[in-house]
Amino acid sequence: GNPAALAWLAEKLQVGRSTMFLDVGGGLGGPAAWLKSRWDISVVIAEPMPRAAAAAHRLWNIPSTVAWAERLPFPDACFGAAWALGVLDTTQAKAQLLAELHRVLCPSGHLGLLAYERVADDVDDDDLPEGNEFASAHEMYTLLDLTGWIIADHLDVSTLPSPPRWWQLRADDVADQVTTQHRGDEAIGDLQSQGQRMARLLERRIIVPRLYHAVWT
């Protein structure tokens, strides 16, 4: 949720008014809405959770489809650019996901990734958030190369400016409202526990958030 990270990716991806853009695993559509409002481009969201996809369309009027990133319901070479923010770490089918993105992007296409990379190997499984599988930097390079991508640039997100205070206040307000409206819901407790695990890993630099700009080959 750092606007500086979104801006870095958007500029690297060379988006413009004529760009057809795909947000893979777009959730409720916040990053896609940010991109659309600043670059006035056509954005499509692919999101596997039906309620999230429906909410993204309802909130932002962005076309959204229910689809897994590994099986996108689009023809070959129909998008000029795409990004997947924090999606690669949630699947074991990383190569399949990257190959599918290669398929739906045109030959001059640009891909942006936010990946949480594993720096240390000696991590207790109990410390890891459930459902996440973090690749190392070496594994990222290998995966991208094997699926037809060349890394044009990359950046450690921690080197970017922190979100402005007004942005953080709004994010905190949303988190507070969700907690209040779902107090007593077991899922909220699980979510907070997962977030705390992730925060500890990031604080200890066991996991590092990194942005990638890759180009089609």
Side-chain angles (χ1 to χ4, degrees), residues 113-196:
L113 297 171
L114 167 60
Y116 291 91
E117 285 184 357
R118 186 184 73 253
V119 177
D121 289 323
D122 55 341
V123 184
D124 193 312
D125 289 343
D126 292 337
D127 293 334
L128 296 174
E130 295 178 12
N132 288 92
E133 184 177 286
F134 304 107
S136 67
H138 175 72
E139 289 168 338
M140 285 293 298
Y141 274 72
T142 300
L143 281 165
L144 287 162
D145 180 61
L146 288 175
T147 53
W149 298 101
I150 292 177
I151 297 174
D153 206 351
H154 60 86
L155 181 75
D156 185 336
V157 175
S158 65
T159 65
L160 291 171
S162 299
R165 180 166 174 75
W166 65 265
W167 179 284
Q168 190 58 56
L169 288 173
R170 289 186 180 184
D172 291 344
D173 183 47
V174 170
D176 290 343
Q177 289 191 43
V178 170
T179 300
T180 298
Q181 293 182 27
H182 296 273
R183 183 168 285 120
D185 189 332
E186 185 178 344
I188 289 295
D190 292 341
L191 179 64
Q192 291 172 339
S193 175
Q194 294 280 80
Q196 290 167 0

